[in-house]
Amino acid sequence: EPVSMLDASIRTEILNLLKELRRKYDLTFLYITHDIAQARYVGEELMIMYLGKVVERGPMEDVIAEPLHPYTKALISNVPVPNPDTQRVRIPIEGETPTPIDLPEGCRFHPRCREAKEQCKKVEPELIEVGPRRWVACHR
């Protein structure tokens, strides 16, 4: 979280600087954050991870507009919308996050997933390309 401890004005200046450097020098960088709004502001592609495993990847706007993985759907549904007239149905993520030293068998998200099937409990899904530049690791 490169700017998490900065006040809002400094945070904005740093994010603008990163965007300008990327544009000016045609840079690629990996920006790791829990804040999807920040990621959207500075990035072009979004990669969602759960317990150290990539569960979804694709162009930023595509992933935000149409999330495919249940974890991504829940994350996106909980991002505040700056327009008070826009309502979003929030998807809660219930249960406790498993400990990384004792990961569940199968999909790592299945104990907390509202869409889990029996297969999810036994077989870890592979990250597969499901469309142009879109990948998801889900049995659905």
Side-chain angles (χ1 to χ4, degrees), residues 50-101:
Y50 185 75
L51 289 173
K53 177 132 175 107
V54 175
V55 296
E56 186 163 352
R57 178 181 166 199
M60 181 72 66
E61 296 308 319
D62 293 351
V63 174
I64 289 172
E66 190 179 345
L68 302 173
H69 193 278
Y71 181 59
T72 309
K73 289 177 186 179
L75 288 179
I76 301 295
S77 79
N78 285 286
V79 173
V81 179
N83 182 348
D85 296 329
T86 302
Q87 293 294 321
R88 198 181 265 164
V89 176
R90 293 184 182 232
I91 302 169
I93 301 175
E94 298 176 356
E96 295 294 318
T97 304
T99 173
I101 60 171

Side-chain angles (χ1 to χ4, degrees), residues 101-112:
I101 60 171
D102 187 23
L103 295 171
E105 187 178 348
C107 175
R108 294 175 185 197
F109 188 59
H110 90 264
R112 304 177 76 196

Side-chain angles (χ1 to χ4, degrees), residues 7-43:
D7 71 46
S9 63
I10 299 296
R11 181 180 308 152
T12 302
E13 287 183 39
I14 297 297
L15 294 175
N16 286 335
L17 176 62
L18 289 173
K19 284 178 67 168
E20 175 63 21
L21 290 171
R22 190 183 78 200
R23 184 197 60 75
K24 185 175 181 179
Y25 297 108
D26 194 27
L27 295 176
T28 298
F29 59 86
L30 181 63
Y31 187 84
I32 300 171
T33 183
H34 289 92
D35 188 331
I36 291 177
Q38 271 184 25
R40 186 179 196 181
Y41 184 72
V42 298

